[in-house]
Every structure is written in structure tokens, then in C-alpha cells.
Amino acid sequence: MFFLIFNILLAQVKKTETPSDSTKIIPSKKEKLEDVVDSRGDEIRNIFSKKMTYLIHNASVSYQDMTIKADYIVMDWNTGDIFARGKVDSLGRIIENITFKQGNREFEYTEAKFNMNTKQGTAFNVRTEEDEMVIIAQKAKRMNEEEYYMRNGMITTDEYFKSKKDSVPDYHLSTTRMKMITGKNQKTLIAGPTTMYIEQVPTPFILPFLYLPSSGRKREAGLLIGTFGERQSKGFYLERWGVYVPIGEYLDLETRFGIYTKGSWTIDNRFRYTKRYKYSGNFNLVYEKNINSTKGLSDYSETENYRVVWTHSQDAKANPNLSFNSSVNFVSQNYYNNSIYNQNALSGNVNNNQTSSSISLVKRFNNNPLTVSLNTSASQNISDGTVALVLPSLSVTMPQIYPFAPKSGSKKGLFQNIYMDYKMNLQNSVTTTTEDMFSSKMFDNSKNGIKNETNLGTTTTIFNYFQLGLTGNYKEAWTTKTIRRDYNSVTNEVVTLNKDGLRSYRTFGTALNLTTTLYGMANFEKEGQDKMIKAIRHMISPTLSYSYSPNFSSDSWGYYGTYIDENGKKVKYSYFNGGVLGDPSNTENSSVNISLANNLEMKVRNKKEKTGIKKIKIFESLNISTSYNFAADSLRLSPITATGSSSLFNSKLRVNYALRINPYKIVFDSPTSTVGYNVDKLGYFSIASYTMGLNFSLEPSMFGGKKEKKYSKQGSIRYEKYNFDEENYAHFEIPWKLDVGLNYARTKEYNRTANTSATVNLTGEISPSPYWKITASTNYDLESKEFGYTRLGFMRDLRSFNINFNWVPISSGYNKTWNFYIGIKAAILKDAVKYEARNFNDTSTDL
């Protein structure tokens, strides 16, 4: 039944008639040669009375775009016939084939007869290549430039046989009759009854006929092969069957479906489009009706899943002033962990908790610095189903311009370095859930507003070593929704009311910064010495800055309101709280900010380097910063933060770390209190949080490796990657790689006890032989002492076939799964000749 369905799907409506062996080439005596015939050979014999030419050894005949090379060629000028034969040995066996070339196509024969007038011919023991395939036939007839009929042929995609490293393919498809069409817009192979052979042994894989469309400019509609089987929770099924339809010159459609006897069904539509030098993209829509068990039973469930993916990219050269791009990935809440066709666990997508989408249209102008962009975005939290949408955001930006800069030469002084920029942003945002998407509820809590921002500043160098910068900023925001709050003594709660109407606020601030760079060098080596550590260089970039912005919560600004709480205390709140444009600041800022950027390098002796010296970066970066706010009534000093990164062992070990120190004393209201608060007492420096990440890549080269030995011989035909010693033992350096990641975090803040987390991530691969590959990835929680998502992969290259086995033994409940696949590597046959088995998280096994 499988073979019957398989061949029905591959069959096409178009019929062709194959001529019988009795077909003869009948040249027309009226036809004349249309071009000059160029003939060559080591020995040329002309018999003018019979109008015959004999070319012997290294013979060739070229006519128009065709060339025949052979050991022996006979040309009959009366009929235009050419007979060619390959080179023979002393026993009369062909040891070197004829080659026939036309354009970019090439054939090989042992013997052939060809007519230059009709361009028809017959050949024996033909060999030719079409894309991934090698085709061999005992006899072939060339009817015209596009059609060839063959008898007793074989087809294979074996790369070793194709490159002539082996005279016998590891598998082939054998048939008695074939027709090959090789037009400009179509390359197709049609065959009669076909049997598959593996290592020259026939298999039960027998097809009544075969249709193989090869690559070509012309695309054709066809059916797509899927799988069938039975699942305990879904019943009998047909899965991943479908149809491919080209739509016009630039668009095609691939539709696949799944049908299950217990009611579930899926449909997967994929549109692909492309226009060279213009744009390309695809649109994918997946919908699933997922029904488990039987209606009426306790374990019955019914869910709907969907996924929408749209990617569009515009060629940069298509229109430099106008660009449109999109990257959309929107899924239902249960898609990744409860999909019918459960491949998300194998790919690791089951751990996705966040997806994001964006669509952008950007317009630029010639001789104008303004850029206009229209953006739509969505941020989806899969765990709780919330979606934050921006529908849309319109931005007008002007980059920094220097109105007082000279028309030529560099800018000098504060005046010539004055710059300004501008940005306008119009935004409408909506927060909803996946259930309420595209419903009337979606826009109930929409927020919108428009914001204008500009910066004015200048830079200069003072005292030759210091860079001075002055900046000022201004922001104006307008919104149509504000809030009012009041305390309800009856219900004992604060009531928030939304108010419609246009309202605005304005903020401004200024800043001054001064920076420089200091270098320090310590040399440890004196003349005549050869120490291991040559020198250490320390580079420090200190920055001192001052910033100021007013307190916009005072009554004079009118941006804040008040209400009386249950204790009779006046509470301030912003009318713009929770809006899309944010709130004006409710505190005065008059801060001095200090930061130190460090870089520490060391020069050491290394004979492997050409200079004999190697640089090692002890600290690629180590940044320390804090600030002091003079306008604050207490707790003026901000936490001290330090971040850094280092790389060791030729960047194989990467270290990232961050530290935050609280300078104030933390007190607790009672001995049983778990959370405290700061009091205005300096000097009690405590670690508020600390994080460190280690990423280490291990591979054989790190351990020095072994010097390559010279062996007496090298293998061939799948053993060429092995070296053999004098006793015929094979030697192969096993490649492997292991990436180790350690992440540690300790957070205390104002808590009495600290919270810690520590995980180890392992990802590795090893090839025990050139054709085996094993991959694995896992993570281990050192606190809970449990393994997280774990995946194992086994891959085997069987020359023309691939074996893949992927297994997820540890995951979150439902998502433990495995998948097995064996099939032909060549793209033209990989979907047709294959075997698959996988686990769908129930007790059945599906083929």
C-alpha cells in the first residue's frame, strides 16, 4: 500500500511515449552542414573516393557547440554520420570512454553513432551527470537537444561513484527504460518499473514507475510525501502530506496537512517569494485542532494552537531611501509545549518563554538629515499569555548636526563643535492577552502619546589632555489619557480613574563631563635579561560628570496631584503614571558621577610568536562607578557598581562579573523581620548582589596535540581520512569540543538572608570516527541538584545515506521525546526514500 500511494503521488498527468529499439536514424541527403567541422587526431586517413575520414588516437571532432573526443572516429561525409569508439586494450576491451560535450553538459560512452545533420544518435554504455544524480544506461538514443531515451539503466547519487573514486555505487535504482528531458526550463527523468539495490543486492523497494523532476528554471506543481501511522491519543493518521504550487514568477505555496481519526487536524501553509535584487521573504501560518483521548473520558482535552511567522527583507541596493523589513513570530500560549507535531522539544524551542515581532518602514531623504520610520512591534510572554503591542510608532529623527562647523577642515573650540539633534515619537501601545487578541477588549486599555526630544551640546579639549563636554536636553510629551486618584474610606482602598483629554508635560536637564586617559607601564626586564614577564601596562580612563534636573513634582509645575490616605497622610501621584511616555521626575537631581574604566595587559615570553612576545589581557574591561546627589535629603551616595570581563588561554576562557555594594547601614524593625531598609549611616559597605559567568571552550589543540606522524599509506573509498601504519593499523585523530558554562548569582539587597543560584551548562560534540558524530547538551542546577533540559544527538554518515537519532531524556513533563531518521542525503530523493520513527509522548510508536 505504501509503494502504491508513493507512486500515485509522484505520478504526473503528462504522458510520454518511448520508442522501441527498432528506431533507426535516417539522415536526409538534402540537409547540409551548417558550420565548419574541426577534426583532429594523431593519425588522419582520408579516402576521397568514398568521402570517408578516419581519425586514430587522440581523435576529436568539433561541430557548432558539440565536441566528441575518442580513440577512434570515422566520419562519413555522404551522410554526415560519425562513428566513435573508446580506447581498447590488447583483448579488445574498452579501457577509456568517449566524451561528448554540448554546451555545459557532458556524456561518456564506449561506442556511439551520431549524425551531424539531424543531430540524432545512438550510444552504448552511457554515463552522464544531472545535478546530484549519476545516470548510466546500456543503450541511449539522442532524439534532439532535450530528449534522450535509455535502456537498462541505473540511477545513483553516490558521491564516491560520481567522482569516480569507486567503480561500484553503494546503492542505485535500476530500471529497464528511462526518458530524460534536459530543456532550459525543465530537467526531468521518467522511468518505468524501478528496483532499489543496496550494495548490488536487490531490495523489496520496487516502484511501478519513477518521476524525478530535477533542477531547472521552470517550477512545477506536485504532491508532497508525508507519513502515516497510529498514535494512541490521536488514532490513525496521515501527517505532513501536502501540495506544492508555484504561483507566478516570484511566489510559491507549500501546504501540508495532518488528519487524525480521533478528531485532531493540522494545516501548515507556507508562502515563499523572492525577486532578485529587490526583496525576499516567507509567510508561514500553522493552525492545529488538538484533541486528546475520547470525548466523555476524564483525560479528554481540546485545544487550539497557531503560529504566524512572516519574514521580509529588502535588498539594500533596491532603494537606499526607502526600506521595508519585517520579522514576525507570534504563537498561541500552548504552541511550543503542546503541539501535535511535537518537534519543539527536539529543537529546544519548548523552553521559549518570550517571542518578539517587528515591522518597520524607513524613509530617508536626499540632501536632508531627517529620517522617518513607522514601526509596529509585539512582545509576547508565553508563560502568562500577555502581549504588549505597539500599533504603531511613528518616529522622525535628525542626527547630530553642527551648524557652526567650518565648511572645510576640522572643528576647533567650543563654538565650532556645537551640535544638536532631534527626535519625535508618536506611539500607541496596547497590553492584552492571547485570548483577547483581535477582539473589542484589545483596545480598552490602549495608551497613546507624542514625545519631542532635543539635545544641544558641544565638546572641546582643554589643557591638551582633557576632553570637556557640555549637554542640555529638553523633552515635551503630549498624551490623551491621564489618571486621578482618591482614597475611598468606605471600601478602604485607593481608587484610580482614567481621564480622557489632551494633556502635556515638559522636562529639561543639563550635564557636564570631563574625561581623560592615563597610561602606566611597569617593565620587569633589563638589558641582557630574559624574564618570563616582560612588562605590565595599565590604562585608566576616569570620567567626572555633573548632571542637574529639577523636581517636577512641585505644585508649580502642575504635573502631580495629591490624596489623603487612611492615615491622614498626603500622598503625591503623577497624573501621567502608567502612561506610554512615562512620568516627569519627582525628585531633584544634582549629582556628581564618577567612573573609572580600566584595562590591564601583560607581555610575556612566548617562543611560538614571531616576535617572541605575547600579549595577555588580564582585564579586558573593569569599570567602577558611583554617584552622589547633593539635592537628596538623605541616602545621597548611590550603590557602588563594578563590572568587568577577562579572557584567558587564548580567549578559550571567558569571565564576566558584576558587583553592587550598598554603602549604607541596613536595619530590621524586629528580630523576625526578613526584609530591612537603609538608614542614613555611611560606612557599612555590604554586598547587595554579585554575579559571575564562566564560559570555557575545550578542544584538543589546548592540550598541545600530537605531532603529525608520517604513515606509510592512506586509505581510499571511505577510508581516505585514515592513515595506516606498516602493520595496517588505522590512525585517526578524534575531533571533539566541550563548552562549559558556569553561572553564579548571589542577591541579598535588603533581605536578612541571601538568595543564590548556580547552574552549569554543558554543550559538546565528538566524532569517534570520520563518519560518526555525537552531540549533547544539558544544564545542572547546583542548588536544587537537578538536571534541566537535556538533549542527545547521534549522527552517522552512511556514504549516500544519513542516520539521525535525537533524544530528549530530561525535560519538563510532556516534552520528553525522541526521533529517528534514515534516508538518502541527496535533496532530490531525501523526502521520498526515507524511514522515520518518533515518540509523541504516548505509548505508541509512529512510522
Side-chain angles (χ1 to χ4, degrees), residues 418-671:
I418 291 176
Y419 67 86
M420 66 175 296
D421 59 28
Y422 170 77
K423 181 176 182 181
M424 185 275 288
N425 180 254
L426 172 65
Q427 186 170 320
N428 182 67
S429 67
V430 178
T431 300
T432 183
T433 63
T434 52
E435 290 79 9
D436 294 336
M437 284 288 294
F438 310 113
S439 67
S440 58
K441 296 180 181 180
M442 176 176 167
F443 295 97
D444 289 346
N445 297 318
S446 63
K447 302 174 183 178
N448 48 63
I450 184 171
K451 178 173 61 177
N452 293 274
E453 293 180 279
T454 185
N455 294 284
L456 181 68
T458 185
T459 59
T460 189
T461 301
I462 60 175
F463 307 120
N464 295 326
Y465 299 106
F466 296 91
Q467 289 76 45
L468 176 67
L470 299 170
T471 59
N473 63 82
Y474 174 80
K475 172 183 173 182
E476 182 172 325
W478 292 80
T479 182
T480 59
K481 289 188 177 183
T482 53
I483 65 168
R484 295 294 185 273
R485 285 179 181 163
D486 200 358
Y487 175 70
N488 190 328
S489 59
V490 178
T491 60
N492 194 27
E493 62 181 2
V494 177
V495 179
T496 301
L497 299 175
N498 293 320
K499 294 290 184 180
D500 294 328
L502 191 63
R503 188 150 188 177
S504 65
Y505 71 85
R506 297 159 186 83
T507 63
F508 58 88
T510 185
L512 179 149
N513 66 81
L514 187 67
T515 184
T516 188
T517 302
L518 305 175
Y519 296 92
M521 179 76 76
N523 292 309
F524 298 98
E525 187 178 60
K526 296 181 180 179
E527 187 176 353
Q529 295 179 339
D530 188 17
K531 292 187 176 182
M532 174 60 70
I533 300 177
K534 306 289 186 181
I536 294 179
R537 191 190 76 158
H538 187 193
M539 183 180 72
I540 306 175
S541 298
T543 300
L544 178 66
S545 63
Y546 173 78
S547 60
Y548 174 81
S549 62
N551 179 5
F552 295 100
S553 67
S554 61
D555 296 338
S556 59
W557 295 101
Y559 302 151
Y560 278 72
T562 60
Y563 67 89
I564 306 299
D565 64 9
E566 68 274 15
N567 299 319
K569 184 179 178 181
K570 184 183 288 188
V571 179
K572 278 191 175 185
Y573 69 93
S574 170
Y575 295 134
F576 305 92
N577 184 255
V580 69
L581 303 177
D583 301 331
S585 174
N586 61 355
T587 58
E588 183 182 1
N589 177 46
S590 178
S591 300
V592 173
N593 308 285
I594 302 172
S595 66
L596 291 174
N598 296 267
N599 177 273
L600 190 64
E601 294 182 349
M602 179 171 61
K603 290 183 178 181
V604 298
R605 184 179 64 224
N606 192 317
K607 295 181 179 179
K608 294 182 179 180
E609 300 291 334
K610 292 182 179 179
T611 60
I613 298 174
K614 183 178 181 180
K615 286 184 179 181
I616 296 177
K617 294 182 179 181
I618 301 175
F619 294 114
E620 288 188 10
S621 64
L622 178 60
N623 303 319
I624 304 171
S625 63
T626 188
S627 65
Y628 188 87
N629 187 3
F630 293 97
D633 55 1
S634 63
L635 306 177
R636 293 180 176 180
L637 184 64
S638 298
I640 302 169
T641 62
T643 60
S645 64
S646 301
S647 60
L648 303 170
F649 306 113
N650 293 326
S651 298
K652 298 297 182 181
L653 174 61
R654 184 79 180 178
V655 184
N656 297 289
Y657 33 85
L659 174 69
R660 188 168 74 252
I661 298 175
N662 183 1
Y664 291 98
K665 182 180 180 180
I666 301 174
V667 298
F668 298 87
D669 290 334
S670 67

Side-chain angles (χ1 to χ4, degrees), residues 7 13 16 28 72 88 91 141 225 279 305 312 324 328 336 357 454 464 468 501 520 571 581 688 722 730 738 756 836:
N7 286 281
V13 177
T16 55
S28 172
Y72 177 76
V88 298
L91 299 177
K141 294 183 179 180
I225 308 302
Y279 53 78
N305 293 324
H312 177 93
F324 177 78
V328 175
Y336 283 128
S357 305
T454 185
N464 295 326
L468 176 67
V571 179
L581 303 177
Y722 290 96
L738 178 64
T756 60
E836 283 186 283

Side-chain angles (χ1 to χ4, degrees), residues 37-317:
V37 178
D38 182 15
S39 57
R40 302 172 184 237
D42 292 349
E43 183 180 349
I44 301 177
R45 298 178 185 177
N46 291 302
I47 302 178
F48 295 104
S49 59
K50 296 183 179 182
K51 296 184 178 180
M52 302 284 288
T53 298
Y54 296 85
L55 308 176
I56 303 171
H57 304 315
N58 297 320
S60 67
V61 174
S62 298
Y63 176 65
Q64 294 182 340
D65 64 339
M66 297 175 292
T67 301
I68 301 174
K69 292 184 179 181
D71 185 65
Y72 177 76
I73 296 177
V74 179
M75 300 184 348
D76 189 337
W77 299 105
N78 290 307
T79 62
D81 287 339
I82 297 177
F83 172 79
R85 188 197 65 207
K87 187 176 182 180
V88 298
D89 60 9
S90 58
L91 299 177
R93 295 175 298 188
I94 301 293
I95 59 174
E96 187 176 314
N97 289 337
I98 306 165
T99 60
F100 174 84
K101 289 184 179 180
Q102 183 174 19
N104 58 356
R105 302 191 67 255
E106 183 173 339
F107 293 85
E108 292 186 19
Y109 316 121
T110 55
E111 295 181 3
K113 185 178 181 182
F114 179 78
N115 188 275
M116 290 183 290
N117 296 320
T118 64
K119 297 182 180 179
Q120 295 179 341
T122 303
F124 299 91
N125 301 317
V126 181
R127 176 190 172 113
T128 185
E129 296 179 8
E130 288 295 332
D131 296 328
E132 299 173 285
M133 299 184 296
V134 178
I135 302 170
I136 292 180
Q138 192 177 62
K139 184 178 181 181
K141 294 183 179 180
R142 183 182 190 273
M143 305 306 297
N144 51 56
E145 294 182 4
E146 296 185 356
E147 293 185 4
Y148 297 82
Y149 293 92
M150 303 181 185
R151 274 194 174 276
N152 300 328
M154 58 173 273
I155 307 160
T156 184
T157 59
D158 182 2
E159 287 292 334
Y160 282 81
F161 185 77
K162 184 177 180 179
S163 59
K164 297 184 180 180
K165 292 181 180 179
D166 197 353
S167 59
V168 179
D170 63 341
Y171 91 96
H172 69 272
L173 302 175
S174 178
T175 182
T176 57
R177 296 188 179 188
M178 285 187 289
K179 178 182 178 180
M180 187 168 63
I181 302 172
T182 61
K184 293 181 179 179
N185 297 324
Q186 183 185 24
K187 291 185 179 181
T188 306
L189 182 67
I190 305 169
T194 304
T195 304
M196 184 175 185
Y197 284 71
I198 297 178
E199 298 294 349
Q200 307 302 307
V201 177
T203 68
F205 191 88
I206 301 174
L207 306 174
F209 49 85
L210 186 66
Y211 178 85
L212 292 176
S214 183
S215 64
R217 295 181 183 177
K218 185 178 178 181
R219 298 167 298 153
E220 293 186 353
L223 297 175
L224 303 173
I225 308 302
T227 60
F228 59 91
E230 181 185 8
R231 290 170 60 177
Q232 182 176 350
S233 60
K234 300 291 187 291
F236 294 99
Y237 67 84
L238 293 174
E239 190 172 69
R240 302 292 294 168
W241 296 80
V243 62
Y244 170 80
V245 181
I247 306 173
E249 185 178 355
Y250 309 110
L251 176 67
D252 61 18
L253 168 64
E254 178 183 318
T255 298
R256 292 182 181 267
F257 66 88
I259 300 175
Y260 305 81
T261 56
K262 288 189 177 182
S264 298
W265 58 275
T266 68
I267 187 167
D268 184 349
N269 294 304
R270 186 184 300 272
F271 291 89
R272 287 181 293 259
Y273 57 89
T274 183
K275 190 172 184 180
R276 186 175 295 181
Y277 309 123
K278 294 291 185 180
Y279 53 78
S280 64
N282 71 81
F283 180 80
N284 183 214
L285 175 61
V286 180
Y287 181 82
E288 299 180 348
K289 186 77 169 182
N290 192 353
I291 298 176
N292 288 312
S293 187
T294 304
K295 197 169 186 178
L297 298 180
S298 59
D299 59 346
Y300 176 81
S301 65
E302 182 177 330
T303 58
E304 295 181 358
N305 293 324
Y306 60 85
R307 184 186 187 191
V308 180
V309 176
W310 178 33
T311 60
H312 177 93
S313 59
Q314 178 179 309
D315 194 302
K317 299 178 182 178

